[in-house]
Amino acid sequence: MEISTIAQKIQQSLKLLGVKELNQGTSTGVNSFGKGAVIASYSPVDGKLIGKVSTTTKEDYEKVMETAQTAYKSWRLKPAPLRGEIVRQFGDKLRALKQPLGELVSYEMGKSLQEGLGEVQEMIDICDFAVGLSRQLHGLTMHSERPGHRMYEQYHPLGIVGIISAFNFPVAVWSWNTALAWICGDVCVWKASEKAPLCSIACQNIMTEVLKENNLPEGISCIVNGDYKVGEFMSNDPRIPLISATGSTRMGKIVAKTVAERLGRSLLELGGNNAIIITPDADIKISIIGAIFGAVGTAGQRCTSTRRLIIHESIYDKVKNTLVAAYKQLRIGNPLDQNNHVGPLIDKDAVKMYEQALAKVVEEGGTVLVEGGVLSGIGYESGCYVKPAIAEASNDFKIVQHETFAPILYLMKYTGDVTNAIEIQNGVAQGLSSAIMTNNLREAEQFLSQAGSDCGIANVNIGTSGAEIGGAFGGEKETGGGRESGSDAWKIYMRRQTNTINYTTELPLAQGIKFDL
């Protein structure tokens, strides 16, 4: 697709998604209450203005919360399978609108169209998962120590779930949370990234149609717009028992502290500093493919992006030379053109961080193998396109210990057995995703053992990116410890209750206490 035709194509997508073409600073979309300052959304693809959205004031926020509280009172009483039916209908709407929503994700965020469509597919997949789960929100039945008693536990909705999401997955991460929260009987208030506000409005419009068609209150799904100040409204609000926040470790620490002070719950998905270990028994071909996709996919702006490659000394030069040669084949440009591999960074602030990181690794003694740089000229007018770079570095470099949201890959070698590689892999503050490339069963099992990877995700012969909906997604250490999406992640959106029923004419007291009347 030519750059000149992108804006026209996106305006067609916006109309299909019910997002009005607004460039005057008025509020866009349903439930995006906003009387505050204006957010202008510029595409990193071509630097053009897509639209403007009014932000949420404190007064606006209170209206949203009142709407959500009212909706919760009726939504929680709907049987879970009926709540699942609403999520099923939402998934069907997403299927019908996958192409325009995927295009908007690609254009507003800057990821490739394939990744944009893939992100919408993740939304569809979590809806399918949630629909099935709506008939499986089960507790346990336990034997009571008291005769004539039955004891069991059950799960109830929490109430309002606050969702704070990041720009790099402007729709999928919200759906991971909200699809599960909805079937659990919760209602949701979503603050999307101010760097991709139109994606949130598109999603809100789609769900609003479903709610209207089923005569359900709009407060089941609400959005608020703005910067960190709107997030502070949510984090400080005791009416929101759970805050699910995705973003930087710095942001997560602030949210965690604020929510903990009011004894609320927080689900945190924070920074990653992910590594792939390549052993002498690795399949070099799939190792290279996994490393490249992990390092340059979404222009290195995934929390699961591959930042470090830990290679055994015996194959280090072979892997390095193959990787450097492969990087020369990368095509950088318009992400809506499927011939390109790498799109832009989200904005010029991200470009500055990329440049600073490359300067820092050289300053600390690293060697640049594939030079980076900012691209300019026709097709790169936004100033957000950069070259994926590779540098040899040590794991103890400060810049290596830091997560840089950009396509920079650090190469380092290990000696001896895989134990040494695992020690390097674990030697960072973050603990999200990890991988080992090996055909040696013992190495693979050691990597997955108690003494292996300390990350929430550990893969064998798969890269660090590409988590599946069915598995719980999240990480340890400074990644925050949260789990979203599959497995039993639904439990965090509910409160557990233990129930005991006495069906006798006696009342035995605890610890054998006697009380005679």
Side-chain angles (χ1 to χ4, degrees):
M1 184 185 297
E2 295 293 332
I3 287 285
S4 61
T5 67
I6 294 177
Q8 188 176 24
K9 174 67 174 173
I10 292 302
Q11 291 304 330
Q12 293 173 357
S13 297
L14 290 173
K15 289 178 181 178
L16 288 172
L17 296 166
V19 180
K20 299 174 184 177
E21 184 179 353
L22 292 175
N23 294 322
Q24 304 302 319
T26 54
S27 180
T28 305
V30 181
N31 256 351
S32 61
F33 301 99
K35 298 176 183 175
V38 171
I39 294 176
S41 179
Y42 291 91
S43 172
V45 175
D46 55 13
K48 294 185 181 298
L49 177 68
I50 312 172
K52 296 180 180 179
V53 180
S54 298
T55 56
T56 303
T57 65
K58 183 63 174 175
E59 181 183 355
D60 299 326
Y61 176 77
E62 288 301 323
K63 291 179 181 178
V64 171
M65 290 301 296
E66 290 171 10
T67 304
Q69 283 182 304
T70 300
Y72 173 61
K73 291 177 181 178
S74 60
W75 180 242
R76 64 183 175 182
L77 299 179
K78 300 288 184 185
L82 293 183
R83 299 193 294 255
E85 167 59 17
I86 301 304
V87 174
R88 184 194 66 78
Q89 292 179 33
F90 178 59
D92 285 346
K93 295 273 189 187
L94 291 172
R95 285 180 171 86
L97 294 167
K98 179 178 177 179
Q99 186 69 28
L101 184 55
E103 289 171 353
L104 177 59
V105 169
S106 177
Y107 188 59
E108 188 170 35
M109 185 270 152
K111 63 176 58 177
S112 72
L113 179 58
Q114 289 173 310
E115 290 181 282
L117 294 172
E119 187 169 342
V120 181
Q121 186 61 50
E122 285 189 33
M123 301 175 75
I124 295 167
D125 291 344
I126 195 63
C127 286
D128 288 349
F129 181 88
V131 172
L133 188 62
S134 68
R135 295 180 182 271
Q136 300 178 65
L137 302 176
H138 50 73
L140 297 173
T141 299
M142 296 151 284
H143 289 284
S144 172
E145 65 186 32
R146 291 169 285 190
H149 286 61
R150 182 166 70 89
M151 184 165 62
Y152 68 98
E153 65 180 20
Q154 59 181 327
Y155 289 83
H156 296 301
L158 274 179
I160 300 174
V161 172
I163 302 167
I164 301 173
S165 63
F167 74 86
N168 58 335
F169 281 86
V171 296
V173 171
W174 166 73
S175 70
W176 292 357
N177 284 274
T178 203
L180 297 190
W182 283 334
I183 62 103
C184 289
D186 301 317
V187 301
C188 298
V189 175
W190 176 25
K191 192 204 90 65
S193 170
E194 60 270 32
K195 297 182 180 182
L198 297 180
C199 285
S200 68
I201 291 171
C203 292
Q204 176 67 18
N205 288 348
I206 296 169
M207 185 56 182
T208 296
E209 282 189 22
V210 175
L211 297 176
K212 284 184 177 179
E213 290 168 1
N214 289 273
N215 196 29
L216 290 168
E218 63 174 355
I220 292 169
S221 178
C222 300
I223 60 174
V224 289
N225 298 315
D227 59 13
Y228 71 94
K229 294 178 183 177
V230 178
E232 288 178 347
F233 294 162
M234 298 168 69
S235 297
N236 283 291
D237 196 335
R239 294 169 294 184
I240 303 180
L242 172 66
I243 295 289
S244 175
T246 303
S248 68
T249 296
R250 181 193 61 80
M251 178 275 291
K253 288 180 178 180
I254 296 171
V255 170
K257 180 180 178 181
T258 304
V259 175
E261 284 178 347
R262 61 177 176 82
L263 299 181
R265 299 188 197 181
S266 56
L267 192 170
L268 303 174
E269 296 293 351
L270 310 175
N273 197 342
N274 317 295
I276 297 177
I277 296 171
I278 303 180
T279 80
D281 289 317
D283 182 316
I284 299 298
K285 180 180 178 180
I286 68 169
S287 299
I288 295 297
I289 293 172
I292 294 175
F293 174 74
V296 309
T298 323
Q301 296 173 111
R302 293 184 177 212
C303 50
T304 55
S305 290
T306 305
R307 311 285 176 203
R308 299 172 295 144
L309 216 55
I310 305 166
I311 310 162
H312 192 268
E313 61 177 349
S314 65
I315 57 169
Y316 182 83
D317 287 339
K318 181 178 181 180
V319 172
K320 178 181 72 174
N321 294 336
T322 305
L323 197 62
V324 169
Y327 262 54
K328 294 177 182 178
Q329 301 174 38
L330 293 175
R331 292 187 294 273
I332 308 165
N334 170 17
L336 278 79
D337 181 345
Q338 297 191 42
N339 291 315
N340 292 324
H341 300 115
V342 185
L345 293 177
I346 185 65
D347 56 25
K348 291 182 180 178
D349 286 339
V351 173
K352 289 179 183 177
M353 287 189 287
Y354 158 85
E355 292 179 305
Q356 289 169 358
L358 285 176
K360 185 66 175 176
V361 72
V362 173
E363 180 184 317
E364 292 193 62
T367 302
V368 174
L369 300 175
V370 175
E371 290 190 5
V374 182
L375 297 172
S376 60
I378 297 174
Y380 304 123
E381 291 88 351
S382 69
C384 297
Y385 291 87
V386 302
K387 299 177 184 177
I390 302 176
E392 292 180 304
S394 173
N395 200 56
D396 59 5
F397 285 4
K398 289 183 179 179
I399 191 60
V400 174
Q401 290 286 316
H402 175 76
E403 179 190 38
T404 302
F405 242 45
I408 302 174
L409 181 62
Y410 301 116
L411 268 56
M412 53 199 72
K413 67 177 66 173
Y414 77 95
T415 59
D417 64 20
V418 75
T419 301
N420 297 326
I422 293 171
E423 184 177 354
I424 297 171
Q425 137 70 36
N426 293 344
V428 292
Q430 309 84 355
L432 179 53
S433 187
S434 58
I436 187 170
M437 298 293 184
T438 182
N439 289 322
N440 184 311
L441 179 61
R442 290 177 176 173
E443 289 180 334
E445 290 294 340
Q446 183 177 345
F447 181 72
L448 301 178
S449 73
Q450 296 92 328
S453 169
D454 63 3
C455 295
I457 299 170
N459 298 325
V460 176
N461 294 331
I462 303 172
T464 58
S465 292
E468 292 186 32
I469 287 297
F473 179 88
E476 300 302 322
K477 302 190 294 189
E478 288 195 357
T479 302
R483 292 297 185 275
E484 295 172 329
S485 190
S487 186
D488 64 349
W490 62 271
K491 291 182 178 179
I492 196 168
Y493 304 96
M494 305 194 83
R495 59 182 177 88
R496 185 189 302 223
Q497 185 181 79
T498 300
N499 307 116
T500 306
I501 300 171
N502 176 7
Y503 56 88
T504 73
T505 58
E506 303 293 330
L507 182 59
L509 301 177
Q511 288 85 45
I513 295 173
K514 301 290 185 180
F515 185 77
D516 297 323
L517 289 178

